[in-house]
mmCIF file of all heavy atoms in Angstrom:
data_model
loop_
_atom_site.group_PDB
_atom_site.id
_atom_site.type_symbol
_atom_site.label_atom_id
_atom_site.label_comp_id
_atom_site.label_asym_id
_atom_site.label_seq_id
_atom_site.Cartn_x
_atom_site.Cartn_y
_atom_site.Cartn_z
ATOM 1 N N LEU A 243 9.263 2.633 11.442
ATOM 2 C CA LEU A 243 10.146 2.225 12.598
ATOM 3 C C LEU A 243 10.693 0.787 12.353
ATOM 4 O O LEU A 243 11.768 0.520 12.638
ATOM 5 C CB LEU A 243 9.388 2.360 13.902
ATOM 6 C CG LEU A 243 10.156 1.956 15.147
ATOM 7 C CD1 LEU A 243 11.467 2.767 15.317
ATOM 8 C CD2 LEU A 243 9.273 2.104 16.396
ATOM 9 N N LEU A 244 9.768 -0.052 11.912
ATOM 10 C CA LEU A 244 10.137 -1.410 11.605
ATOM 11 C C LEU A 244 11.358 -1.513 10.609
ATOM 12 O O LEU A 244 12.322 -2.194 10.816
ATOM 13 C CB LEU A 244 8.994 -2.207 11.091
ATOM 14 C CG LEU A 244 9.300 -3.736 10.715
ATOM 15 C CD1 LEU A 244 9.743 -4.514 11.914
ATOM 16 C CD2 LEU A 244 7.974 -4.336 10.107
ATOM 17 N N GLU A 245 11.217 -0.690 9.511
ATOM 18 C CA GLU A 245 12.318 -0.708 8.490
ATOM 19 C C GLU A 245 13.547 -0.148 9.139
ATOM 20 O O GLU A 245 14.683 -0.588 8.799
ATOM 21 C CB GLU A 245 11.918 0.145 7.294
ATOM 22 C CG GLU A 245 10.765 -0.482 6.527
ATOM 23 C CD GLU A 245 11.010 -1.949 6.186
ATOM 24 O OE1 GLU A 245 12.021 -2.227 5.634
ATOM 25 O OE2 GLU A 245 10.129 -2.779 6.450
ATOM 26 N N GLU A 246 13.402 0.859 10.026
ATOM 27 C CA GLU A 246 14.676 1.394 10.616
ATOM 28 C C GLU A 246 15.292 0.392 11.523
ATOM 29 O O GLU A 246 16.528 0.199 11.485
ATOM 30 C CB GLU A 246 14.227 2.566 11.508
ATOM 31 C CG GLU A 246 15.352 3.399 11.982
ATOM 32 C CD GLU A 246 14.898 4.701 12.681
ATOM 33 O OE1 GLU A 246 13.727 5.053 12.587
ATOM 34 O OE2 GLU A 246 15.759 5.285 13.386
ATOM 35 N N VAL A 247 14.533 -0.434 12.239
ATOM 36 C CA VAL A 247 15.104 -1.456 13.106
ATOM 37 C C VAL A 247 15.721 -2.534 12.277
ATOM 38 O O VAL A 247 16.804 -3.117 12.692
ATOM 39 C CB VAL A 247 13.993 -2.013 14.056
ATOM 40 C CG1 VAL A 247 14.444 -3.284 14.705
ATOM 41 C CG2 VAL A 247 13.591 -1.003 15.053
ATOM 42 N N VAL A 248 15.121 -2.878 11.135
ATOM 43 C CA VAL A 248 15.683 -3.936 10.301
ATOM 44 C C VAL A 248 17.053 -3.434 9.772
ATOM 45 O O VAL A 248 18.013 -4.262 9.715
ATOM 46 C CB VAL A 248 14.748 -4.155 9.070
ATOM 47 C CG1 VAL A 248 15.478 -4.994 7.992
ATOM 48 C CG2 VAL A 248 13.470 -4.903 9.533
ATOM 49 N N ALA A 249 17.195 -2.144 9.541
ATOM 50 C CA ALA A 249 18.424 -1.585 8.997
ATOM 51 C C ALA A 249 19.536 -1.492 10.011
ATOM 52 O O ALA A 249 20.707 -1.400 9.624
ATOM 53 C CB ALA A 249 18.127 -0.234 8.438
ATOM 54 N N ILE A 250 19.239 -1.460 11.269
ATOM 55 C CA ILE A 250 20.256 -1.284 12.327
ATOM 56 C C ILE A 250 20.651 -2.587 13.106
ATOM 57 O O ILE A 250 21.367 -2.558 14.029
ATOM 58 C CB ILE A 250 19.859 -0.172 13.365
ATOM 59 C CG1 ILE A 250 18.606 -0.560 14.085
ATOM 60 C CG2 ILE A 250 19.699 1.158 12.671
ATOM 61 C CD1 ILE A 250 18.233 0.401 15.212
ATOM 62 N N THR A 251 20.033 -3.738 12.622
ATOM 63 C CA THR A 251 20.326 -4.912 13.336
ATOM 64 C C THR A 251 20.926 -5.956 12.412
ATOM 65 O O THR A 251 20.583 -6.012 11.250
ATOM 66 C CB THR A 251 19.050 -5.547 13.964
ATOM 67 O OG1 THR A 251 18.044 -5.701 12.903
ATOM 68 C CG2 THR A 251 18.472 -4.641 15.084
ATOM 69 N N GLU A 252 21.777 -6.805 12.969
ATOM 70 C CA GLU A 252 22.307 -7.949 12.158
ATOM 71 C C GLU A 252 21.761 -9.286 12.788
ATOM 72 O O GLU A 252 21.745 -10.246 12.094
ATOM 73 C CB GLU A 252 23.850 -7.988 12.272
ATOM 74 C CG GLU A 252 24.454 -6.861 11.492
ATOM 75 C CD GLU A 252 26.004 -7.000 11.349
ATOM 76 O OE1 GLU A 252 26.668 -7.454 12.309
ATOM 77 O OE2 GLU A 252 26.505 -6.671 10.237
ATOM 78 N N TYR A 253 21.358 -9.231 14.006
ATOM 79 C CA TYR A 253 20.824 -10.409 14.679
ATOM 80 C C TYR A 253 19.726 -9.865 15.597
ATOM 81 O O TYR A 253 19.939 -9.775 16.864
ATOM 82 C CB TYR A 253 21.892 -11.155 15.435
ATOM 83 C CG TYR A 253 21.488 -12.597 15.854
ATOM 84 C CD1 TYR A 253 21.666 -13.646 14.991
ATOM 85 C CD2 TYR A 253 20.903 -12.789 17.103
ATOM 86 C CE1 TYR A 253 21.340 -14.956 15.319
ATOM 87 C CE2 TYR A 253 20.479 -14.112 17.505
ATOM 88 C CZ TYR A 253 20.752 -15.147 16.579
ATOM 89 O OH TYR A 253 20.311 -16.453 16.920
ATOM 90 N N PRO A 254 18.493 -9.620 15.113
ATOM 91 C CA PRO A 254 17.493 -8.981 15.936
ATOM 92 C C PRO A 254 16.759 -9.896 16.855
ATOM 93 O O PRO A 254 16.517 -11.066 16.569
ATOM 94 C CB PRO A 254 16.537 -8.490 14.851
ATOM 95 C CG PRO A 254 16.655 -9.447 13.739
ATOM 96 C CD PRO A 254 18.048 -9.905 13.743
ATOM 97 N N THR A 255 16.435 -9.405 18.037
ATOM 98 C CA THR A 255 15.587 -10.108 18.991
ATOM 99 C C THR A 255 14.662 -9.094 19.675
ATOM 100 O O THR A 255 15.130 -8.115 20.194
ATOM 101 C CB THR A 255 16.497 -10.669 20.195
ATOM 102 O OG1 THR A 255 17.484 -11.566 19.510
ATOM 103 C CG2 THR A 255 15.630 -11.488 21.092
ATOM 104 N N ALA A 256 13.388 -9.351 19.562
ATOM 105 C CA ALA A 256 12.350 -8.403 20.157
ATOM 106 C C ALA A 256 12.155 -8.779 21.585
ATOM 107 O O ALA A 256 11.915 -9.968 21.924
ATOM 108 C CB ALA A 256 11.045 -8.598 19.289
ATOM 109 N N LEU A 257 12.210 -7.790 22.458
ATOM 110 C CA LEU A 257 12.120 -7.979 23.834
ATOM 111 C C LEU A 257 11.023 -6.945 24.408
ATOM 112 O O LEU A 257 10.817 -5.857 23.842
ATOM 113 C CB LEU A 257 13.413 -7.638 24.572
ATOM 114 C CG LEU A 257 14.628 -8.393 24.050
ATOM 115 C CD1 LEU A 257 15.883 -7.776 24.550
ATOM 116 C CD2 LEU A 257 14.583 -9.864 24.386
ATOM 117 N N ILE A 258 10.336 -7.381 25.446
ATOM 118 C CA ILE A 258 9.348 -6.498 26.096
ATOM 119 C C ILE A 258 9.901 -5.926 27.364
ATOM 120 O O ILE A 258 10.504 -6.630 28.188
ATOM 121 C CB ILE A 258 8.008 -7.262 26.363
ATOM 122 C CG1 ILE A 258 6.966 -6.233 26.862
ATOM 123 C CG2 ILE A 258 8.249 -8.410 27.326
ATOM 124 C CD1 ILE A 258 5.560 -6.921 26.801
ATOM 125 N N GLY A 259 9.786 -4.614 27.504
ATOM 126 C CA GLY A 259 10.257 -3.862 28.702
ATOM 127 C C GLY A 259 9.081 -3.157 29.348
ATOM 128 O O GLY A 259 7.918 -3.234 28.845
ATOM 129 N N GLN A 260 9.362 -2.437 30.419
ATOM 130 C CA GLN A 260 8.329 -1.733 31.121
ATOM 131 C C GLN A 260 8.780 -0.408 31.708
ATOM 132 O O GLN A 260 9.960 -0.252 31.991
ATOM 133 C CB GLN A 260 7.838 -2.690 32.312
ATOM 134 C CG GLN A 260 6.587 -2.342 33.028
ATOM 135 C CD GLN A 260 6.241 -3.368 34.048
ATOM 136 O OE1 GLN A 260 6.737 -3.427 35.162
ATOM 137 N NE2 GLN A 260 5.299 -4.239 33.626
ATOM 138 N N PHE A 261 7.887 0.502 31.793
ATOM 139 C CA PHE A 261 8.183 1.823 32.428
ATOM 140 C C PHE A 261 7.183 2.050 33.516
ATOM 141 O O PHE A 261 6.107 1.378 33.599
ATOM 142 C CB PHE A 261 8.213 2.987 31.398
ATOM 143 C CG PHE A 261 6.974 3.184 30.607
ATOM 144 C CD1 PHE A 261 5.930 3.918 31.111
ATOM 145 C CD2 PHE A 261 6.810 2.624 29.371
ATOM 146 C CE1 PHE A 261 4.810 4.163 30.438
ATOM 147 C CE2 PHE A 261 5.666 2.829 28.611
ATOM 148 C CZ PHE A 261 4.629 3.644 29.147
ATOM 149 N N ASP A 262 7.453 3.037 34.402
ATOM 150 C CA ASP A 262 6.598 3.302 35.518
ATOM 151 C C ASP A 262 5.176 3.707 35.019
ATOM 152 O O ASP A 262 5.032 4.535 34.138
ATOM 153 C CB ASP A 262 7.137 4.406 36.381
ATOM 154 C CG ASP A 262 8.504 3.933 37.035
ATOM 155 O OD1 ASP A 262 8.771 2.731 37.090
ATOM 156 O OD2 ASP A 262 9.190 4.881 37.452
ATOM 157 N N LYS A 263 4.157 3.194 35.755
ATOM 158 C CA LYS A 263 2.767 3.512 35.364
ATOM 159 C C LYS A 263 2.411 5.003 35.482
ATOM 160 O O LYS A 263 1.507 5.510 34.831
ATOM 161 C CB LYS A 263 1.825 2.714 36.160
ATOM 162 C CG LYS A 263 1.683 1.262 35.690
ATOM 163 C CD LYS A 263 0.545 0.562 36.484
ATOM 164 C CE LYS A 263 0.391 -0.879 35.935
ATOM 165 N NZ LYS A 263 -0.756 -1.581 36.580
ATOM 166 N N GLU A 264 3.135 5.692 36.370
ATOM 167 C CA GLU A 264 2.835 7.139 36.556
ATOM 168 C C GLU A 264 2.981 7.930 35.308
ATOM 169 O O GLU A 264 2.323 8.997 35.158
ATOM 170 C CB GLU A 264 3.774 7.687 37.652
ATOM 171 C CG GLU A 264 5.235 7.732 37.238
ATOM 172 C CD GLU A 264 6.209 8.195 38.279
ATOM 173 O OE1 GLU A 264 6.711 7.394 39.047
ATOM 174 O OE2 GLU A 264 6.466 9.409 38.267
ATOM 175 N N PHE A 265 3.833 7.448 34.407
ATOM 176 C CA PHE A 265 4.022 8.196 33.182
ATOM 177 C C PHE A 265 2.808 8.047 32.203
ATOM 178 O O PHE A 265 2.714 8.799 31.226
ATOM 179 C CB PHE A 265 5.281 7.790 32.408
ATOM 180 C CG PHE A 265 6.493 8.108 33.216
ATOM 181 C CD1 PHE A 265 7.377 7.129 33.645
ATOM 182 C CD2 PHE A 265 6.791 9.382 33.508
ATOM 183 C CE1 PHE A 265 8.523 7.450 34.346
ATOM 184 C CE2 PHE A 265 7.974 9.779 34.235
ATOM 185 C CZ PHE A 265 8.848 8.752 34.660
ATOM 186 N N LEU A 266 1.887 7.096 32.475
ATOM 187 C CA LEU A 266 0.696 7.041 31.627
ATOM 188 C C LEU A 266 -0.234 8.291 31.779
ATOM 189 O O LEU A 266 -1.209 8.386 31.045
ATOM 190 C CB LEU A 266 -0.098 5.754 31.974
ATOM 191 C CG LEU A 266 0.608 4.471 31.590
ATOM 192 C CD1 LEU A 266 -0.215 3.275 32.029
ATOM 193 C CD2 LEU A 266 0.755 4.367 30.013
ATOM 194 N N GLU A 267 0.068 9.169 32.689
ATOM 195 C CA GLU A 267 -0.647 10.418 32.867
ATOM 196 C C GLU A 267 -0.367 11.326 31.545
ATOM 197 O O GLU A 267 -1.199 12.123 31.208
ATOM 198 C CB GLU A 267 -0.210 11.105 34.106
ATOM 199 C CG GLU A 267 -0.851 12.514 34.329
ATOM 200 C CD GLU A 267 -0.234 13.258 35.482
ATOM 201 O OE1 GLU A 267 0.369 12.575 36.391
ATOM 202 O OE2 GLU A 267 -0.453 14.517 35.507
ATOM 203 N N LEU A 268 0.725 11.098 30.952
ATOM 204 C CA LEU A 268 1.147 11.824 29.751
ATOM 205 C C LEU A 268 0.194 11.456 28.641
ATOM 206 O O LEU A 268 -0.294 10.352 28.565
ATOM 207 C CB LEU A 268 2.588 11.572 29.328
ATOM 208 C CG LEU A 268 3.657 12.183 30.176
ATOM 209 C CD1 LEU A 268 5.009 11.453 29.893
ATOM 210 C CD2 LEU A 268 3.742 13.667 29.922
#
Side-chain angles (χ1 to χ4, degrees):
L243 179 58
L244 177 62
E245 292 310 306
E246 192 176 345
V247 168
V248 168
I250 62 173
T251 55
E252 290 191 323
Y253 194 88
T255 305
L257 307 168
I258 187 166
Q260 193 174 79
F261 58 85
D262 294 343
K263 283 188 176 181
E264 65 183 89
F265 293 120
L266 290 175
E267 179 187 339
L268 287 165

